[in-house]
Amino acid sequence: MFCFGQFLVFFNLRKLWMFVSGCVTILFGMLDKVPSGPVFIGLCFLVRAMDAVGFAAAMTASFSIVAKAFPNNIATVLGSLEIFTGLGLVLGPPLGGFLYQSFGYEVPFIMVGCVVLVLVPVNMCVLSKYDSVPSKDSFWKLILLPKVLLLCLTIFSLSACLGFLDPTMSLFILKMFKLPAGYVGLVFLGLALSYSLSSPLLGLLSDKLPYLRKWLLVSGGLMTALCFFMLGPAPVLHIESQLWMFVLVLVLVGFSLGMSAIPVFPEILQCAYENGFEEGLSLLGLVSGLFNAMWSLGAFAGPTLGGFLNEKLGFEWASAIQGGWALLSGLATGIFYITEATKRSSSSSLQNPPGTNEERTHLMSSES
């Protein structure tokens, strides 16, 4: 992610890396033909690694192109695109399951890979070509800004919380509510639909009222922490878990994730502008690469730590502890913004002492 963001202007990522991602997705569907053993395991790691490289490059380029094409409505456009992320989360599992049961292991991967390959010429024809001069600014200069560091923590915490649900939630639903396996995907709809439907509205609000971004970030982090504390719910509350309450909390989780995730990209971009970064596609590549790198890091840490906690402590405690990431980011971001506002008010009062305007008015009236 970092490399593709830094050197975005040197690569035509739209064409090359979508093609790579499509090809390796098809190859993954063919791996069941490989004999079991070290060769099979090695090819699995190799193919998935190549898929990750293609995905990273394509996503970094996509975020950058969107920000370049809609500089005044970045949050609105990104929020609108999240509708399709939600649709993918909703339609992917049942459609993949149907293809797997009907046609076997290979067909779902072949179909997805072919769809990606078909989109390569579509992107070449539809998307405009953007030229840019390579920037002298580096990732380290960007990521070492205090505000950007806190926003990176926000991205990481949201991704970790969302990733935690992948390996743990379905097992908890089957065990706690005794639902048939086919109904588990319907429970996920609460999170996916609320996130995809609220994201465009939150993006529009973020663009129209930029001063609300900071409070969306803070309140979204705190709300996410509370929701994960209630998801089990935590044993300390002595509340029995019920299906309707579980689905309701998932709906709130989707909304709170949108509150924090949508304003992050424009907020990092604004911080970069305020600290003297050159405006252009190079900066957009840096910000996009940073965003996707932090998201991927959280997507790795969330299931890893969450799976361990779920095995040792159970889903109820594991979800409560996982919400600590969001609590930490929400509190840290809130303290930073309050401190920043206090410093600005004190500096403005020093530059414009209270008596200055009155004295100037008195002198002008005396002269007249």
Side-chain angles (χ1 to χ4, degrees):
M1 294 289 187
F2 289 114
C3 294
F4 289 121
Q6 180 76 55
F7 302 109
L8 178 66
V9 296
F10 294 110
F11 301 101
N12 198 337
L13 299 175
R14 292 173 299 169
K15 305 174 184 178
L16 174 62
W17 295 108
M18 283 189 66
F19 178 78
V20 171
S21 184
C23 289
V24 295
T25 300
I26 295 175
L27 285 176
F28 192 78
M30 303 293 185
L31 289 180
D32 63 329
K33 310 297 184 184
V34 178
S36 59
V39 176
F40 174 77
I41 296 174
L43 286 175
C44 285
F45 275 105
L46 178 61
V47 171
R48 295 304 291 170
M50 288 299 298
D51 192 18
V53 171
F55 174 79
M59 288 300 297
T60 301
S62 299
F63 274 56
S64 303
I65 290 171
V66 165
K68 181 70 174 178
F70 305 96
N72 299 321
N73 301 285
I74 296 175
T76 302
V77 177
L78 290 178
S80 300
L81 291 177
E82 290 305 301
I83 294 176
F84 300 95
T85 301
L87 285 175
L89 292 172
V90 171
L91 298 178
L95 181 59
F98 169 76
L99 292 174
Y100 174 76
Q101 290 182 348
S102 302
F103 304 103
Y105 170 80
E106 300 92 347
V107 173
F109 296 99
I110 293 174
M111 284 199 63
V112 172
C114 289
V115 169
V116 175
L117 291 178
V118 168
L119 290 176
V120 173
V122 173
N123 276 271
M124 293 169 60
C125 297
V126 174
L127 295 181
S128 303
K129 183 179 180 181
Y130 296 100
D131 297 320
S132 178
V133 179
S135 174
K136 297 179 181 179
D137 298 317
S138 67
F139 263 113
W140 295 114
K141 181 181 177 182
L142 177 65
I143 200 173
L144 291 178
L145 296 174
K147 184 176 180 180
V148 173
L149 273 175
L150 286 175
L151 293 174
C152 286
L153 176 61
T154 299
I155 300 169
F156 172 84
S157 66
L158 297 177
S159 179
C161 288
L162 192 59
F164 160 77
L165 299 176
D166 287 338
T168 59
M169 193 170 78
S170 58
L171 299 176
F172 176 74
I173 293 171
L174 292 172
K175 178 182 177 181
M176 179 61 66
F177 305 118
K178 312 297 182 184
L179 291 180
Y183 287 88
V184 174
L186 296 177
V187 178
F188 279 84
L189 287 178
L191 190 153
L193 288 178
S194 64
Y195 177 72
S196 60
L197 294 178
S198 64
S199 292
L201 300 177
L202 293 169
L204 181 64
L205 184 65
S206 179
D207 280 332
K208 296 299 182 182
L209 303 171
Y211 61 89
L212 288 181
R213 289 175 189 161
K214 59 186 71 175
W215 305 118
L216 287 175
L217 287 166
V218 175
S219 56
L222 297 179
M223 185 175 173
T224 301
L226 178 62
C227 288
F228 271 80
F229 196 74
M230 293 293 298
L231 193 59
V236 70
L237 297 177
H238 302 291
I239 299 176
E240 183 180 357
S241 182
Q242 300 182 38
L243 182 59
W244 69 267
M245 185 172 66
F246 190 84
V247 175
L248 176 61
V249 172
L250 282 181
V251 171
L252 295 177
V253 167
F255 180 72
S256 62
L257 288 175
M259 289 176 67
S260 296
I262 300 303
V264 167
F265 193 97
E267 194 72 2
I268 295 177
L269 201 58
Q270 181 183 352
C271 180
Y273 290 148
E274 292 173 352
N275 285 273
F277 280 73
E278 297 178 8
E279 185 175 351
L281 189 60
S282 296
L283 174 60
L284 296 176
L286 288 176
V287 176
S288 178
L290 178 63
F291 182 95
N292 287 295
M294 291 298 105
W295 189 270
S296 299
L297 185 62
F300 169 77
T304 304
L305 178 62
F308 173 78
L309 292 174
N310 184 62
E311 182 180 352
K312 299 297 182 181
L313 304 175
F315 181 85
E316 293 87 348
W317 276 117
S319 61
I321 295 173
Q322 196 73 26
W325 289 111
L327 178 64
L328 177 63
S329 66
L331 291 176
T333 306
I335 293 171
F336 175 83
Y337 279 125
I338 292 173
T339 305
E340 185 182 51
T342 304
K343 288 181 179 179
R344 286 183 179 178
S345 61
S346 61
S347 62
S348 62
S349 63
L350 289 174
Q351 292 176 0
N352 300 302
T356 302
N357 293 331
E358 288 82 352
E359 292 174 1
R360 186 181 296 119
T361 305
H362 179 71
L363 288 173
M364 290 176 65
S365 61
S366 301
E367 290 176 358
S368 60

